[in-house]
Amino acid sequence: MRPFQFVRAKSLNDALTERANPSDHFIAGGTNLVDLFKYDVERPVKLVDINRLPLGEIRELHGGGLRLGSLVTNAETAYDARVKERYPILSSAILSGASAQLRNAATNGGNLNQRTRCYYFYNVASPCNKREPHSGCGAIGGVNRVNGILGMSAACIATHPSDMCVALAVLNVQVQVSGRDGDRVIPIGEYHRLPEDEPWRDNTLRPGELVTAIDLPAQGFADHYTYLKLRDRQSYAFALVSVAVVMRMEAGLIKEARVALGGVAPKPWRIPAAETALEGESPSRDVFIRFADALIDGAVGHGGNDFKIPLARRAIVRACHQAAAGTPQSQSDKRIA
Amino acid sequence: MNIGEHTAVVASEAYKKAPRRVEGRDKVMGRAVYAGDFYSDRLEREIDVAYCVTSAQSTGSVLSIDTQAALASPGVHAVLTHENTPRLKTVLSLNGTEIGDLLPLQDSKLHYGGQCIALVVADSLDHARNAALLVKVTYSEAETKPAFTLQQGTDRLADAKQVGAMEKGKEQIGDPEKVYGLSTHRVDITTDSSPHHHNAMEPGAIIATWEEDGGLTIRMPSQFCYGDAVILGQAFGFGLKERLPRIIGQVLGGLEFDNKVRVITPLAGGAFGSKQANIHTLLAPMAARMVGRPVKLVLSREQTFSMMPFRGQSRQRLRMGADIHGNLEAILQDVQTAQGAGGSFVEPVSENTMKAYACKNIGVNNRSARLDTNAPGWMRGPGASLGQFALEIAMDMLAEKAGIDPFEMRLRNHADVEPDTGHEWSSKSLKQCYQEAATRIGWSERNPQVGSMREGRHLVGFGMATSIYPTRMLPAVASITLYPTGKATVKSAVHEIGQGMLTSMTQVAADHLGLPLASVQLEWGDTRLPYGSMAVGSMGALTNGAAIAEAAIKVQKTLFKAVVKNRASPLHRQHVDDLAIDGEFIVAKDGARELVAAAAMRLDTPIEEEAITGRPPQLPTLPHKYGRCVFGAQFVKVLVDPDTMHLKVDRLVGAFAGGRALNPMLVRSQLLGGMVWGLGQALMEESSLDQRSGLWMNGNLGEALVPVNADTSGIEAILIEEDDRRGHPLGIKGMGEIGVIGTAAAVSNAIYHATGRRLTSLPMKIDSLL
């Protein structure tokens, strides 16, 4: 780790002013960022500690939603009574990820901004366009079992590793950000971006902007939801494939459905047109297989991760059944419900 | 005594009475001292801290290495490179197959990725680590045809004359090729396994101090402090007397040498075969000599992947033939293993094949390829865990072909005598192990039809495998002094790597001396002490236990002689031969008795006795009267979700027979730990190498997975006790490896039963089930 300057921001304005250069970083829980410093992946000149900012609360929004402060920890969010009751998929997704210790330290804002787990991103002796622009992609033709199958480019096949964001994606949350030029709102679907030819840009934040909150809309889909995560061990591992499903059912028919995939793309992967096609359908294996094929349409494997294509297809079908039946995947019983 | 099922073990009197770990309280209180805990205050000397710079390339050479910026960085005292480092002498390591001929920082050549090419020494870890980032290196072109995997290195495969610890690479009884060709039922399978690392919680760590008299003091976790002292003595050019620190003197000739290399080994935070003969063992003293201060070096997790050993890649072809009734007729095992750029270690994959089953025609043949990687080395369940994977899958397949239950198949081919020698076994309770574990897991409810069993939505599969591991002994020395205070000191350089050696050895001494545990002090882990055996190959407790017991019996006899002469003793005028230790008393045939402690307190001078075990002619390589192995059976129940093919090992039940359990609690922990290792090997453990660069890509515990609690909830270990006194003076067998052996095969066999998929590649991840 290289020496850096550390400043503690006293206010939001203070924080935004202190982070003047692209090489400066905000730091909150630090569960990912500190590792990146140690691996020499990130080389901060200045760290702006935002932990004292008043962004650590969960508040009711007018119209029935909830505002999750960006400094609320993942654990506080997952165990919040309002979240558990109204947005159980969010609680479930968070609890499927990391460990209790990490969730206690990691914040909601940090979860949105965590970096990929691509092996080449972390290994500074290897090429990686995301870490070192224009150095090449080591994962293509390399060890790419954990890499993506959707939304990739010739420059990068890294995935976004969050579980929480996959749930946020199907809840259509709004990300509140502040910058020196003012505040703005980014819909979750537009927050993370595809690599294209600039894989070093994970998201659409502008330089110096800070996430202040995540707004959950009123509709929480508490009756029909699931977060199904498949991984190499039963706990404390990143998803090979995960699926968040929420549904609104009426008289046994699907009235509305939203499905997002995790572990397979640079962002939670949704195809709204395919979701629309589920409306009015009666849950069945055929319907869900058709939907799964539409959701993973265009998926491409890179050798080591070819298995993610059939795995994603199977996981989507299973998760849709779980949500439709109102039997969500438990995160403590490790058998697939 | 048959302790029976797991719950019974925990509830049994022997288990409840078993002494708790003597260092356990310190460990859970955070007071236990590991090598990395030595700072200036504990050492009472200013120490420097070193950090490695490792190569980003695997082959070719270092063209230039610019250390100016690093040297100018705050707190930096030195940067060692091949350009300024004193040359080391050749190491002819006795145990250190991993170091081999590749001594660090001797020239510019690159042998593998992540090789240490510079060592920064500074006043603190953060200064050293920061400066390490400032060392600028340029490399020559890499070699055009490197080989990092067996697939890439096919043309490098050669016959391995020796495997493991000087065992033959090629062995045969009968005429297996011919008989196999004529067998009614035949299987011919190929199995593969990926490399994986030990990933002990504690990484490699060392503090090196050059003493004023020219001697070298090392503090580091080690499984063989004497062996590491020899390596250091050789590398740093100590004279013959110094570099053979009493091994030959004590063990073979009864002579004493004054050695100048002292290795002190504190508690190890896990070792599993990884902590001996490591490269960093040489780096820290090199740095300490250069800066004139003690130097501490702790590897990063990533550096442990390239600077410490691992289990190398393997591929096996296993052919097995049986007659119409399922009786084995021939076994043929052809093994390919990976070797490193340096060292001579070849994993003894076929070690158990000659001994596992009654079969008159067995042939094993090992070949290995020297790859451009760091060297594979010993790892828990060395060789045998891989060999048994192939062997037990083949047994399952053969059972199916012959239409026999897999359990019955094993019984039918039970080796009543040691197959390759015809010797009687010292003891063997394998049939009981099968029965106990089968009953516990509910094997009788198994429907032999593949894919026929369900539990809710899930496919259910049951599988089993035999566990077998040789029990061997090494030389060891122990001395015991009984003081007139009623307390005793035991001295032997044994090693505590988490297996419970301190507890069990204190226990052996206390039991034989007739003293309470608290009255016995064990001095351990130091080459200034009598030679203790290395903590490898399930040999530690047997070897050191025998030496300590023998020394304790000598002390006992001397005490008896003193007691019968002492008028103040109730045992005055008894015959020495009529006395025995019973609990904490010396008891005479006529019932007269006296507390050992009370008798000791009447001594004028301490009693000091020494004992040596394993000295010729009892060296383990010489023929032994009995076949000696520890046996077990592992049974697995898996659940497979038919939609996603998600796999969960629902239960893993092992029953093991290893003579007398010296300490049932420690033995159970060893077995459970071994089974967790087996489960990890079966399902997830894998170190990923980039086949273009030869660099390890998942060198951290976030991506190199090992089992967590959620994976291991259904594990049970059953102890079957047996009388093995004709095999060992204490009637014990080695229990360190056995838990790992057979687990992966039992899982594979259970997966087959559930799904019809025969998985032969380790680890068995979800990819292979889709």
Side-chain angles (χ1 to χ4, degrees):
Chain A
M1 198 188 295
R2 296 166 197 262
F4 52 81
Q5 190 194 346
F6 180 87
V7 292
R8 178 166 286 154
K10 296 182 193 71
S11 66
L12 183 57
N13 268 337
D14 190 19
L16 298 174
T17 312
E18 284 288 353
R19 193 186 168 189
N21 297 307
S23 57
D24 299 343
H25 283 273
F26 295 125
I27 187 161
T31 54
N32 186 203
L33 195 57
V34 174
D35 278 351
L36 295 173
F37 297 164
K38 288 182 181 171
Y39 293 130
D40 205 33
V41 172
E42 292 285 359
R43 302 172 178 185
V45 173
K46 180 155 80 176
L47 273 190
V48 182
D49 175 9
I50 57 168
N51 282 301
R52 301 291 169 91
L53 303 189
L55 304 172
E57 284 181 23
I58 300 178
R59 291 197 289 113
E60 294 285 349
L61 286 174
H62 296 297
L66 272 187
R67 170 163 292 181
L68 310 176
S70 60
L71 287 176
V72 179
T73 68
N74 287 179
E76 287 164 349
T77 307
Y79 292 118
D80 183 272
R82 292 160 293 183
V83 173
K84 274 161 65 179
E85 191 192 329
R86 286 148 61 184
Y87 308 95
I89 190 171
L90 179 58
S91 179
S92 181
I94 291 172
L95 294 179
S96 78
S99 65
Q101 293 88 339
L102 282 166
R103 294 191 297 263
N104 283 339
T107 63
N108 291 337
N111 195 306
L112 285 176
N113 294 321
Q114 67 182 297
R115 310 301 305 273
T116 183
R117 306 307 301 189
C118 176
Y119 296 173
Y120 293 84
F121 180 70
Y122 284 81
N123 188 309
V124 292
S126 299
C128 171
N129 287 323
K130 191 182 271 301
R131 170 170 37 80
E132 191 76 44
H134 311 297
S135 62
C137 173
I140 296 174
V143 180
N144 53 36
R145 189 168 178 278
V146 302
N147 290 77
I149 52 173
L150 289 160
M152 302 291 132
S153 78
C156 183
I157 59 170
T159 66
H160 193 265
S162 170
D163 291 301
M164 178 181 174
C165 290
V166 186
L168 295 178
V170 293
L171 292 171
N172 283 350
V173 305
Q174 307 278 328
V175 182
Q176 301 282 343
V177 305
S178 293
R180 268 167 293 166
D181 300 332
D183 302 341
R184 65 188 183 112
V185 177
I186 309 174
I188 186 70
E190 294 166 23
Y191 187 83
H192 297 105
R193 62 179 293 283
L194 301 186
E196 295 165 336
D197 51 5
E198 288 183 299
W200 48 93
R201 288 178 54 217
D202 287 1
N203 55 49
T204 54
L205 280 181
R206 292 172 192 150
E209 277 185 334
L210 175 68
V211 174
T212 57
I214 297 165
D215 287 356
L216 306 176
Q219 195 181 5
F221 300 93
D223 294 328
H224 292 277
Y225 75 93
T226 196
Y227 187 72
L228 178 60
K229 177 177 179 178
L230 299 172
R231 49 195 143 172
D232 280 330
R233 64 182 170 197
Q234 310 290 338
S235 180
Y236 196 27
F238 290 97
L240 297 167
V241 170
S242 70
V243 193
V245 184
V246 292
M247 284 178 183
R248 193 156 54 79
M249 306 284 295
E250 266 176 35
L253 299 181
I254 301 167
K255 280 296 178 196
E256 185 181 2
R258 298 180 199 160
V259 183
L261 294 179
V264 294
K267 59 190 292 185
W269 192 256
R270 282 182 65 184
I271 304 285
E275 293 168 4
T276 311
L278 282 175
E279 288 171 16
E281 294 282 359
S282 168
S284 76
R285 188 169 173 80
D286 286 348
V287 164
F288 292 147
I289 287 177
R290 234 179 8 253
F291 169 75
D293 286 336
L295 183 53
I296 59 170
D297 184 39
V300 180
H302 300 272
N305 68 351
D306 291 349
F307 74 98
K308 283 191 175 184
I309 300 173
L311 185 63
R313 190 170 182 266
R314 286 165 173 270
I316 294 163
V317 174
R318 185 70 230 142
C320 285
H321 276 299
Q322 289 180 339
T327 53
Q329 178 60 41
S330 163
Q331 300 305 347
S332 52
D333 182 351
K334 303 300 178 181
R335 280 173 298 191
I336 305 291
Chain B
M1 176 181 55
N2 183 349
I3 294 180
E5 64 193 35
H6 154 80
T7 42
V9 173
V10 179
S12 76
E13 281 307 302
Y15 187 88
K16 281 190 212 153
K17 276 196 222 150
R20 272 40 184 169
R21 285 176 191 265
V22 295
E23 82 286 11
R25 191 173 168 80
D26 281 347
K27 280 184 172 172
V28 296
M29 299 289 280
R31 286 197 296 245
V33 177
Y34 297 83
D37 296 326
F38 281 89
Y39 294 93
S40 299
D41 53 349
R42 198 183 290 278
L43 211 60
E44 294 176 342
R45 289 174 71 166
E46 280 298 311
I47 65 171
D48 274 2
V49 180
Y51 196 77
C52 294
V53 178
T54 56
S55 69
Q57 192 172 303
S58 296
T59 60
S61 60
V62 172
L63 280 187
S64 72
I65 187 156
D66 178 357
T67 60
Q68 278 195 336
L71 280 167
S73 179
V76 174
H77 294 155
V79 181
L80 282 74
T81 70
H82 69 276
E83 289 170 353
N84 65 358
T85 303
R87 298 291 84 106
L88 298 171
K89 300 277 195 300
T90 306
V91 171
L92 301 167
S93 162
L94 299 176
N95 66 321
T97 47
E98 289 89 358
I99 279 189
D101 41 354
L102 300 184
L103 302 176
L105 303 180
Q106 299 298 292
D107 55 45
S108 64
K109 182 153 172 50
L110 295 174
H111 302 277
Y112 53 85
Q115 178 179 326
C116 182
I117 51 174
L119 189 70
V120 179
V121 191
D123 57 1
S124 70
L125 176 62
D126 49 336
H127 281 151
R129 206 166 164 164
N130 174 45
L133 295 169
L134 304 176
V135 174
K136 292 187 195 74
V137 185
T138 61
Y139 301 97
S140 74
E141 289 285 304
E143 282 168 25
T144 50
K145 273 202 73 183
F148 306 118
T149 65
L150 284 175
Q151 289 83 346
Q152 291 172 323
T154 312
D155 57 355
R156 301 186 184 185
L157 277 169
D159 285 341
K161 290 198 175 60
Q162 285 192 343
V163 299
M166 296 186 287
E167 293 157 54
K168 289 186 202 123
K170 194 167 187 164
E171 283 185 274
Q172 184 169 316
I173 54 169
D175 191 349
E177 283 283 355
K178 184 178 162 202
V179 175
Y180 172 77
L182 300 169
S183 286
T184 309
H185 299 297
R186 280 180 287 180
V187 294
D188 183 348
I189 57 165
T190 300
T191 66
D192 289 287
S193 69
S194 295
H196 58 116
H197 283 74
H198 306 74
N199 277 325
M201 194 69 90
E202 176 199 37
I206 175 170
I207 297 95
T209 307
W210 288 96
E211 307 292 353
E212 278 174 13
D213 66 355
L216 174 62
T217 304
I218 298 292
R219 288 174 175 82
M220 66 173 179
S222 171
Q223 294 174 251
F224 190 24
C225 56
Y226 266 83
D228 278 324
V230 171
I231 291 170
L232 286 156
Q234 290 180 339
F236 290 95
F238 285 92
L240 178 70
K241 281 187 178 179
E242 284 79 23
R243 75 176 189 238
L244 294 175
R246 301 196 292 178
I247 293 185
I248 290 177
Q250 283 187 2
V251 178
L252 300 180
L255 303 168
E256 286 289 327
F257 285 115
D258 173 27
N259 58 304
K260 284 199 168 165
V261 181
R262 179 182 186 188
V263 176
I264 302 166
T265 174
L267 296 171
F272 312 113
S274 70
K275 284 177 181 157
Q276 50 178 336
N278 301 127
I279 291 288
H280 59 266
T281 303
L282 301 178
L283 286 171
M286 288 163 81
R289 180 166 268 180
M290 191 169 272
V291 296
R293 257 186 303 277
V295 165
K296 170 163 146 181
L297 171 62
V298 179
L299 302 185
S300 73
R301 179 63 57 186
E302 189 177 17
Q303 289 166 354
T304 67
F305 273 61
S306 61
M307 292 179 60
M308 293 178 80
F310 59 102
R311 199 189 312 276
Q313 190 191 356
S314 80
R315 165 164 279 208
Q316 303 174 60
R317 181 182 182 201
L318 196 109
R319 287 170 291 165
M320 201 182 254
D323 69 13
I324 193 159
H325 307 295
N327 297 311
L328 286 183
E329 292 179 324
I331 305 172
L332 284 152
Q333 186 176 28
D334 295 290
V335 182
Q336 298 176 13
T337 45
Q339 266 190 280
S344 57
F345 179 80
V346 180
E347 181 143 19
V349 173
S350 56
E351 183 163 53
N352 285 330
T353 309
M354 307 296 290
K355 302 192 184 292
Y357 291 107
C359 183
K360 291 198 168 64
N361 304 283
I362 309 174
V364 301
N365 187 21
N366 289 271
R367 291 196 297 158
S368 65
R370 205 173 263 292
L371 304 178
D372 302 312
T373 69
N374 50 312
W378 296 100
M379 188 191 280
R380 196 172 191 185
S385 64
L386 297 173
Q388 207 70 0
F389 179 63
L391 196 71
E392 293 294 315
I393 291 174
M395 282 296 278
D396 214 55
M397 294 171 75
L398 214 47
E400 192 182 32
K401 287 201 171 187
I404 304 170
D405 182 276
F407 182 174
E408 171 61 24
M409 179 76 184
R410 268 87 177 179
L411 287 180
R412 201 164 288 188
N413 290 289
H414 183 267
D416 297 333
V417 295
E418 193 174 44
D420 54 341
T421 64
H423 289 156
E424 272 184 57
W425 298 105
S426 64
S427 61
K428 182 176 184 180
S429 309
L430 178 58
K431 288 179 181 173
Q432 256 178 286
C433 294
Y434 290 138
Q435 194 56 60
E436 292 276 349
T439 304
R440 181 75 184 151
I441 205 155
W443 184 262
S444 59
E445 288 155 37
R446 177 183 186 268
N447 181 335
Q449 183 67 38
V450 166
S452 66
M453 296 184 72
R454 296 257 171 174
E455 208 173 276
R457 299 181 47 257
H458 297 87
L459 295 163
V460 177
F462 287 91
M464 66 168 294
T466 304
S467 305
I468 168 175
Y469 196 77
T471 283
R472 300 193 186 96
M473 272 179 73
L474 292 163
V477 183
S479 79
I480 297 182
T481 309
L482 178 64
Y483 294 96
T485 53
K487 295 187 187 299
T489 304
V490 181
K491 293 181 180 180
S492 186
V494 303
H495 310 83
E496 178 58 62
I497 58 174
Q499 82 281 47
M501 186 64 69
L502 305 186
T503 311
S504 57
M505 291 304 106
T506 307
Q507 208 186 316
V508 168
D511 286 353
H512 284 83
L513 291 170
L515 291 173
L517 208 62
S519 297
V520 177
Q521 182 68 38
L522 176 68
E523 292 182 23
W524 58 282
D526 187 339
T527 51
R528 289 276 162 89
L529 297 170
Y531 178 82
S533 127
M534 55 175 108
V536 299
S538 298
M539 293 184 274
L542 286 89
T543 303
N544 297 304
I548 289 172
E550 198 182 319
I553 290 167
K554 284 186 184 173
V555 169
Q556 197 190 94
K557 296 287 179 227
T558 310
L559 181 65
F560 290 175
K561 283 180 198 159
V563 163
V564 297
K565 285 185 207 148
N566 194 312
R567 287 169 194 221
S569 170
L571 301 169
H572 182 53
R573 287 177 185 275
Q574 293 275 359
H575 283 287
V576 168
D577 294 343
D578 291 343
L579 301 182
I581 297 286
D582 183 3
E584 291 174 16
F585 288 88
I586 306 170
V587 183
K589 274 191 179 158
D590 63 7
R593 51 170 38 205
E594 183 178 26
L595 262 178
V596 173
M601 282 179 200
R602 251 185 270 104
L603 291 169
D604 297 327
T605 53
I607 299 175
E608 188 170 352
E609 299 287 353
E610 186 167 278
I612 302 172
T613 53
R615 209 155 52 152
Q618 302 128 321
L619 272 179
T621 46
L622 297 173
H624 197 285
K625 212 166 139 191
Y626 299 109
R628 300 208 62 219
C629 283
V630 54
F631 297 95
Q634 301 207 32
F635 284 70
V636 166
K637 178 189 172 195
V638 298
L639 297 175
V640 181
D641 171 40
D643 287 358
T644 59
M645 298 312 278
H646 174 264
L647 168 77
K648 171 138 180 50
V649 172
D650 189 49
R651 294 182 67 196
L652 166 58
V653 179
F656 304 92
R660 179 170 75 90
L662 209 49
N663 179 322
M665 185 165 53
L666 294 175
V667 170
R668 177 172 168 268
S669 296
Q670 276 281 51
L671 294 171
L672 291 176
M675 291 161 83
V676 171
W677 267 70
L679 210 58
Q681 182 181 40
L683 299 176
M684 65 191 80
E685 291 188 35
E686 183 170 25
S687 297
S688 303
L689 196 89
D690 184 292
Q691 298 195 15
R692 301 158 303 183
S693 69
L695 299 176
W696 297 110
M697 295 310 299
N698 60 341
N700 64 77
L701 293 181
E703 324 294 345
L705 302 187
V706 297
V708 295
N709 285 336
D711 299 288
T712 57
S713 52
I715 304 187
E716 298 172 44
I718 300 169
L719 267 64
I720 311 286
E721 293 221 23
E722 54 188 6
D723 184 353
D724 195 53
R725 278 174 297 181
R726 70 182 195 176
H728 185 273
L730 298 174
I732 59 177
K733 293 181 182 178
M735 300 298 264
E737 330 286 333
I738 189 74
V740 190
I741 318 276
T743 322
V747 172
S748 174
N749 292 340
I751 292 171
Y752 176 76
H753 182 229
T755 67
R757 302 287 186 87
R758 188 61 83 178
L759 304 190
T760 55
S761 198
L762 292 175
M764 299 176 283
K765 295 188 178 179
I766 197 165
D767 322 20
S768 48
L769 279 167
L770 295 170

